[in-house]
Amino acid sequence: MYKIATIPGDGTGPEVTDEALKVLEAVAKKDSIEYQLTHYDFGGDRYLKTGEVLPEGAVDELSQYNAIYLGAVGHPEVAPGILEKGLLLELRFQLDQYVNLRPVTLYPGVETPLVGKGPEDIDFVVVRENTEDMYCGIGGFVRKGTADEIATQTAIYTRKGCERIIRYAFEYTRKRDNPKGKRLTLVAKTNVLTFGHDLLWRTFQDVATEYSDVEADYNHVDACCMWMVKNPEYYDVIVTTNMFGDIITDLGAMIQGGMGVAAGGNINPELGGTSMFECMGGSAPKYTGQNVINPIAAIAAMAMLLDQGGHWSSANKITEAIKVVTGTKMKSQSAGRMGYTTSEIGDLVAELVR
Ligand code: IPM
Ligand code: MN
């Protein structure tokens, strides 16, 4: 029995979650997967009512599930940072989801702003470290509010943290087995961040010796942004830090057709670890309740959830169905211009999966 906690969240989160669950139901029936869903109402509305983002004991409770499925968090009446920190980052940290896996895949029929590039060119995966760097919240103010104010925001890198993400990325590259060749590119800024990224670089070199079948490659982050636009076909798998990963994956989302198609997983790959899957688009308050938002990212996140749970062929069925729908049905990936409603897209994918 596969136990899944769902947090549909705010705005359009519940709408896209419904479509992902529709597709899960279809594939589970087809492949005889037994699963159990428990819904949690965490998000902006609950916070406005109760004053708390995650109630006492919630993290422990969530850690009992095989996986968490997250719709979206973000509420126009809640100050920025509260839900992000209190829910998303809290769960990533507390559940030690140290891998943020973000595939950059251009599905057939999806428009990319990169002229002349197609699905065969835009197909790589970013392995973003998810628990260290500037995200730890270490820092403070001195003489706050005065002309002499000092603020610090410390980036943390540990040998263990570097090693586990790099090892995961090498394993991932090995398994991905790209016909174009296995290449893992470390993306960092060793020419300026001469302490933290030196540790990262040395760790990368050490771990690379165990993976002679994978090309160990390096790009500075600024150059990486350039290559992602100019020659995205160069990349197979990228491993990078939390902050750089945050930034380059938004660029990645754009070249793969936008936030409506970009999915990600916050993964704790250890035995018994609880991973959390989400679409990268936010809660899109202005489209809430209109049945116009694109659920493809949410459905792709469900495929990632199944893949992480070892249901590879079911995950694959969903991905193939997505490709048919984007390639032969949808007019656009933008909300309101897809040629179908949110729920119709869900129906199309579910039908193909069956
Ligand atoms: C993401 C988001 C989060 C991040 C925010 C909402 C805290 O941008 O998942 O990429 O910075 O990691
Ligand atoms: Mn981001």
Side-chain angles (χ1 to χ4, degrees), residues 84 88-89 92 100 102 128 135 242 246 249-250 278:
E84 292 89 331
L88 195 59
L89 298 183
R92 287 179 183 170
N100 194 330
R102 296 190 162 182
R128 165 187 172 189
Y135 276 76
N242 205 344
D246 179 45
T249 55
D250 266 27
E278 52 174 335

